Amino acid sequence: MKSLLRLTFCFFLFSISVSSAQVFNPYYNGIVENVSASNILDDLTTLVDFGVKEPGTGAIENAKDWIINRYQTLGYTAVETQDFTVYGQTTSNIIVTKTGSVYPNTFLIIDGHYDTVNGPGANDNGSGTVLILELARLLKDVDTEYSIKFIHFSGEEEGLIGSEFYVNNTVIPENLDIKLVLNIDQVGGVAGMNNNTIVCERDESPPNYNNAASAQATQEMANAFGLYSSLQTEISYAYGSDYVPFENNGEVITGLYENNESPYTHGPNDIIENMDPNYVFEVTKGTLGSALHFAVGREPLGVSENSFAENITVYPNPSNGKFTVKLNTLSEENIELTVFNILGKTVYTSSLNNATNAIDLSSLETGIYLGVFKSGKNLVTKKIVLN
Ligand SMILES: [Zn+2]
């Protein structure tokens, strides 16, 4: 978002209010491109190897310690556990907070349960657990306007006990200001099937006063999946997972669930071989794009980037498609220009080698485009308008 504002400042004499619209964001996409399929598979393998993670078992305690260690290794300092009991067995929620730079007391909650029942839970909910860990890795050093809480609940399989406990013992007494709860449960897909669709779940249950906001957030999440993943989306209703206690408390919720429903959950065959790790990879990309949208990721602007940006002038802008790009001081490295449409599709690429470069986009439809100029590690985005 910051890049668009800066751009407006740089070379627009009129204003176009696209900065609040949900369009492809090259900065977000650059972060999403770092989602690692091998990290996801490694983490799934580790979680499955712990065994059946029911409250009271050594397996869930080992998984808990491993998850906590992962956050600490990433450099998160606000890592808390919250103990409660399930049928007399003590177990823990894991709550990790990343502080936002503009709204530190308003939270995007990204949650999923890490307990399993009767099986190792590769899909239910190893998939959601590793997705959250990968988000936490890639968001660690991203400046977000809103705070984020990554929460790994226990006691879900016995009836949402951990999330209910968190709502009653943290959300309500602390009057926590929650922007949105994004719950991830069972996004592993089914081996051998075409797992090309993610279900985006919205609140269709009473209380009803929070349902419109849930529908809006869920649509925005589906849009983000269109922009940052290869998956198609289907909107459905939320039920039977850890967002329910929040929803009952009046919070705005949304959720992700697989479209091809696994027949193996809650049993010994909920193993990696019966799911689709590449599907988890795609779901992670869409969820990360959604998280950056909801928490409002802000692009850092270094000194070198600033001078790089000032070196590049695009005129006339708007134009009928014939633009000139002027490079005020030619660096030794070439500048690569990629033009994206607002859906994130590449529509033009060119190498800029001259002090002035003619760019012909007149074959494109009128509208707003994003020109990404890249040289070495410098990257700057400028809005280009065809009218
Ligand atoms: Zn589950």
Side-chain angles (χ1 to χ4, degrees):
M1 286 303 142
K2 197 174 179 189
S3 62
L4 290 180
L5 288 174
R6 172 168 46 82
L7 180 68
T8 306
F9 172 75
C10 280
F11 64 85
F12 274 99
L13 297 174
F14 59 96
S15 79
I16 300 170
S17 62
V18 297
S19 60
S20 63
Q22 191 182 358
V23 297
F24 177 76
N25 181 316
Y27 173 60
Y28 293 178
N29 191 59
I31 299 167
V32 168
E33 281 178 344
N34 290 324
V35 172
S36 161
S38 66
N39 277 3
I40 286 168
L41 192 54
D42 288 352
D43 288 349
L44 273 174
T45 304
T46 303
L47 272 175
V48 166
D49 285 350
F50 287 127
V52 184
K53 293 171 278 296
E54 294 175 6
T57 61
I60 195 168
E61 290 304 300
N62 290 339
K64 178 184 85 174
D65 292 344
W66 177 76
I67 291 169
I68 290 169
N69 184 264
R70 286 292 301 273
Y71 283 98
Q72 289 171 338
T73 304
L74 287 170
Y76 284 94
T77 50
V79 182
E80 301 164 278
T81 55
Q82 178 180 53
D83 293 351
F84 58 99
T85 58
V86 177
Y87 299 128
Q89 302 290 338
T90 299
T91 189
S92 315
N93 294 328
I94 305 163
I95 301 134
V96 180
T97 305
K98 168 185 163 57
T99 303
S101 57
V102 179
Y103 308 103
N105 297 313
T106 304
F107 298 92
L108 168 65
I109 290 180
I110 303 173
D111 77 280
H113 71 90
Y114 72 104
D115 63 305
T116 71
V117 62
N118 299 326
N123 188 344
D124 184 15
N125 184 30
S127 59
T129 304
V130 303
L131 180 157
I132 294 170
L133 288 173
E134 187 65 355
L135 256 59
R137 180 178 78 85
L138 294 169
L139 290 171
K140 170 66 179 64
D141 295 320
V142 175
D143 177 7
T144 58
E145 293 191 0
Y146 290 87
S147 288
I148 301 175
K149 282 186 185 289
F150 304 101
I151 306 183
H152 300 268
F153 287 120
S154 182
E156 195 268 355
E157 298 291 6
E158 289 76 21
L160 318 179
I161 295 172
S163 48
E164 180 81 43
F165 189 89
Y166 180 75
V167 169
N168 287 330
N169 292 277
T170 299
V171 175
I172 294 172
E174 294 181 12
N175 197 19
L176 209 64
D177 183 14
I178 297 174
K179 186 184 192 213
L180 177 69
V181 176
L182 199 181
N183 180 75
I184 301 120
D185 194 355
Q186 202 177 318
V187 291
V190 181
M193 293 185 75
N194 185 14
N195 302 293
N196 63 357
T197 303
I198 184 72
V199 178
C200 302
E201 302 169 311
R202 66 185 182 197
D203 181 0
E204 297 184 6
S205 309
N208 293 323
Y209 60 85
N210 54 356
N211 290 17
S214 169
Q216 172 69 27
T218 304
Q219 186 57 54
E220 290 177 18
M221 181 167 69
N223 295 344
F225 269 82
L227 295 172
Y228 305 107
S229 85
S230 67
L231 298 174
Q232 296 164 31
T233 56
E234 186 183 299
I235 306 285
S236 186
Y237 57 91
Y239 70 101
S241 191
D242 283 320
Y243 40 34
V244 170
F246 292 92
E247 173 193 346
N248 290 338
N249 192 48
E251 311 301 343
V252 180
I253 61 113
T254 190
L256 293 167
Y257 189 72
E258 62 195 4
N259 187 46
N260 294 326
E261 226 174 300
S262 171
Y264 304 109
T265 58
H266 306 165
N269 291 324
D270 187 1
I271 55 177
I272 297 170
E273 291 74 9
N274 285 327
M275 56 176 275
D276 180 353
N278 188 58
Y279 182 61
V280 185
F281 172 69
E282 289 297 332
V283 178
T284 303
K285 287 163 63 177
T287 312
L288 180 53
S290 303
L292 286 161
H293 169 69
F294 291 128
V296 190
R298 291 156 62 106
E299 184 172 10
L301 200 59
V303 174
S304 68
E305 251 174 337
N306 255 327
S307 61
F308 182 61
E310 283 162 10
N311 266 341
I312 301 167
T313 314
V314 182
Y315 64 90
N317 193 6
S319 95
N320 60 2
K322 309 257 193 196
F323 295 90
T324 299
V325 178
K326 185 165 180 286
L327 308 176
N328 300 334
T329 54
L330 258 184
S331 69
E332 64 274 28
E333 287 174 296
N334 290 344
I335 294 178
E336 297 296 328
L337 166 63
T338 308
V339 179
F340 296 94
N341 67 17
I342 59 167
L343 298 177
K345 197 164 162 273
T346 301
V347 293
Y348 180 87
T349 59
S350 176
S351 290
L352 310 178
N353 304 311
N354 306 308
T356 58
N357 303 271
I359 305 295
D360 187 356
L361 303 178
S362 54
S363 63
L364 301 175
E365 286 176 30
T366 59
I368 296 163
Y369 294 84
L370 299 171
V372 176
F373 299 83
K374 198 169 181 226
S375 173
K377 62 183 176 59
N378 285 319
L379 185 149
V380 82
T381 304
K382 290 180 181 279
K383 192 160 55 177
I384 295 172
V385 180
L386 260 75
N387 64 7

